Amino acid sequence: MALIVKKFGGSSVANAERVFNVANRIIEDYKEGNDVIVVVSAQGDTTDDLIEKALEINPTGASKREMDMLLSAGEQISISLLAMAIEKLGFPAKSLLGWQAGFQTDSHHTIARIKNINTERIKNEIAKRNIVIVAGFQGLNKYDDITTLGRGGSDTSAVALAAALKADLCQIYTDVDGVYSADPRKVPNARKMDEISYDEMLELATLGAQVLNNRSVEMAKKYNVELEVLSSLEKKPGTIVKEIVKMEKTLIKGVAKDNNVARISIVGLQDTPGIAFKLFNKLAQYKVNVDIILQSVGRHGTKDITFTVPKDQALLAKEAIDSLEGSLNFQEVSIDETISKVSIVGAGMESHPGVASKMFEALCDAGINIQMISTSEIKISVLIDVKYADKAVEAIHEAFLNYL
Ligand code: ASP
Ligand code: MG
């Protein structure tokens, strides 16, 4: 007998048939004598549709408090429908909103963080042998206002609940059957991984492998919650995400691309101390998320600095730079939004020479020019022209991960 937290994403409960499919999977675990707590997201595109409705009323952006009030409605629908389906199949279920399940958050509406979960109510329901269905994505702040955890936040709800309840198992069900070495829709021989470490998953999650929300992986790592990512439609083992992974023959776990990148170049800066500080301090004040940074070697008293930011922050970055007019001298600023960041991720690469050169060779053979390179202990990223992004992923995947 175990305590199991299961999370089902929006596509897994998108219509009545799928709700019953999920209900049946839950009942299987329950019938074996397990305590089952289920976290669900809003059905299908409900959250997007609700955002649309808000924009109809206020196109320039409603207050965040009211957005939370609205968006949390999506999960209220899915939990009640799922509980009804379980009841219809003859088993006891109780749906709980975030606050009823004890989710206490800070007051950052639309991106709130969980501060504590008071698990008393859930434990009472479990003791009565009820299947507990919890609304993901939502909580309550200290003023008794509804908050939400940010898009894709139900994963975080599930992981937090598993940590608070010291669950034996935390299963994240989705419409893919695990974590792949590359996007299986784009790379036909992408391989499903049996296991992946938190750090590797975090890199892949951040790089846009849209399986798990990255905050949820951070939380899983922090509280050492072992996760399984698996399909809600097919019955087969998924991918386990945990701290220590058995040594595999592959150093590289996956290849991912991120097209949400803009490159900003500032040409002809003065080659004197404090320039980089001035620039990045200002960008930090403007809350711009800077990723890769490259500074050229100074020549004739000038230097260039190039860096990348998420595409939707490019204009903000430009504003920050413009605000430095008078105190920072340079010749010109250029912004390029037609780029992609392609990365390989693998915890073993730091102690193995030759990984970078193999990646660059694959790109060279494919005739793809590299604009910038950055490395960390478990990742190598290159910046390339966005039109070659898919080709680059395929070529690199072929070089490192093709066993066929
Ligand atoms: N329904 C919310 C969203 O679409 C939360 C989630 O899906 O995890 O972002
Ligand atoms: Mg959703």
Side-chain angles (χ1 to χ4, degrees):
M1 215 192 83
L3 179 75
I4 308 175
V5 172
K6 295 163 104 66
K7 183 258 168 179
F8 292 90
S11 57
S12 304
V13 291
N15 53 42
E17 188 194 337
R18 291 200 177 180
V19 170
F20 273 108
N21 166 58
V22 166
N24 277 310
R25 296 204 72 156
I26 295 166
I27 288 168
E28 272 170 37
D29 281 333
Y30 178 83
K31 279 202 292 202
E32 282 171 15
N34 301 303
D35 292 331
V36 189
I37 295 130
V38 182
V39 174
V40 260
S41 308
Q43 290 184 292
D45 295 329
T46 304
T47 310
D48 291 323
D49 296 344
L50 291 171
I51 292 173
E52 282 294 312
K53 281 186 193 299
L55 287 172
E56 277 172 28
I57 300 288
N58 184 346
T60 56
S63 74
K64 291 184 171 164
R65 180 192 183 276
E66 297 310 326
M67 284 308 287
D68 279 352
M69 197 57 117
L70 178 68
L71 297 194
S72 61
E75 272 70 12
Q76 180 157 358
I77 296 172
S78 54
I79 54 167
S80 48
L81 291 176
L82 182 55
M84 287 176 199
I86 294 170
E87 285 178 346
K88 176 92 174 98
L89 294 168
F91 290 85
K94 198 144 266 179
S95 66
L96 299 175
L97 290 168
W99 67 267
Q100 293 174 300
F103 278 80
Q104 296 162 356
T105 73
D106 64 20
S107 291
H108 288 99
H109 282 290
T110 74
I111 46 159
R113 283 189 181 259
I114 299 166
K115 295 184 82 168
N116 183 43
I117 306 177
N118 179 352
T119 54
E120 208 181 306
R121 174 75 191 268
I122 292 183
K123 284 183 177 152
N124 286 340
E125 299 298 342
I126 288 293
K128 291 185 217 150
R129 280 298 282 154
N130 281 321
I131 296 170
V132 181
I133 315 288
V134 178
F137 180 54
Q138 48 175 258
L140 199 70
N141 70 12
K142 64 178 178 197
Y143 309 108
D144 286 349
D145 282 329
I146 305 271
T147 53
T148 66
L149 307 178
R151 297 305 308 268
S154 311
D155 289 346
T156 311
S157 309
V159 174
L161 209 46
L165 293 165
K166 300 196 171 51
D168 300 295
L169 206 56
C170 182
Q171 296 175 307
I172 311 279
Y173 289 84
T174 169
D175 50 3
V176 292
D177 59 358
V179 184
Y180 277 77
S181 57
D183 185 345
R185 288 163 303 187
K186 295 268 169 60
V187 180
N189 52 14
R191 186 173 69 104
K192 192 175 99 188
M193 290 172 242
D194 296 333
E195 296 183 341
I196 184 168
S197 70
Y198 294 124
D199 288 333
E200 290 167 327
M201 189 63 233
L202 211 47
E203 289 291 358
L204 290 175
T206 313
L207 288 167
Q210 287 166 347
V211 213
L212 281 175
N213 164 289
N214 59 2
R215 245 199 216 178
S216 72
V217 184
E218 271 168 22
M219 183 166 300
K221 179 178 159 79
K222 187 166 166 200
Y223 295 102
N224 208 9
V225 176
E226 201 170 299
L227 305 177
E228 184 179 12
V229 177
L230 66 176
S231 163
S232 61
L233 301 169
E234 289 169 277
K235 254 185 223 161
K236 51 182 182 183
T239 300
I240 304 281
V241 188
K242 61 178 188 177
E243 186 62 57
I244 300 147
V245 174
K246 66 173 186 276
M247 274 308 280
E248 283 195 58
K249 49 183 187 299
T250 50
L251 299 169
I252 303 307
K253 279 293 165 52
V255 187
K257 67 162 185 198
D258 181 2
N259 290 352
N260 180 26
V261 190
R263 190 191 59 192
I264 301 179
S265 297
I266 309 180
V267 179
L269 286 155
Q270 248 178 307
D271 190 21
T272 50
I275 297 295
F277 165 65
K278 220 183 235 177
L279 173 64
F280 292 104
N281 186 41
K282 186 54 82 184
L283 288 163
Q285 279 169 15
Y286 274 69
K287 302 248 182 297
V288 176
N289 269 323
V290 175
D291 185 22
I292 306 176
I293 301 174
L294 193 81
Q295 178 179 304
S296 70
V297 176
R299 248 182 221 197
H300 313 302
T302 70
K303 65 185 174 194
D304 308 334
I305 292 181
T306 304
F307 57 93
T308 64
V309 299
K311 239 181 218 162
D312 57 2
Q313 294 192 354
L315 285 179
L316 188 64
K318 179 76 169 42
E319 259 176 56
I321 296 164
D322 289 345
S323 80
L324 284 166
E325 205 187 328
S327 71
L328 194 74
N329 296 318
F330 49 83
Q331 281 150 19
E332 63 169 320
V333 184
S334 66
I335 301 179
D336 186 351
E337 299 193 339
T338 60
I339 52 170
S340 175
K341 183 169 83 169
V342 175
S343 310
I344 52 175
V345 174
M349 69 166 76
E350 56 178 328
S351 52
H352 285 77
V355 175
S357 88
K358 192 168 168 180
M359 180 183 188
F360 304 154
E361 183 186 13
L363 291 166
C364 165
D365 290 346
I368 298 169
N369 188 38
I370 301 171
Q371 302 177 5
M372 277 168 97
I373 300 168
S374 100
T375 64
S376 79
E377 278 176 4
I378 70 163
K379 181 179 80 166
I380 301 172
S381 303
V382 294
L383 228 58
I384 59 167
D385 190 320
V386 70
K387 67 172 179 261
Y388 300 125
D390 288 335
K391 190 175 168 192
V393 170
E394 214 171 315
I396 296 166
H397 191 272
E398 180 77 22
F400 283 101
L401 291 145
N402 190 9
Y403 310 103
L404 302 178

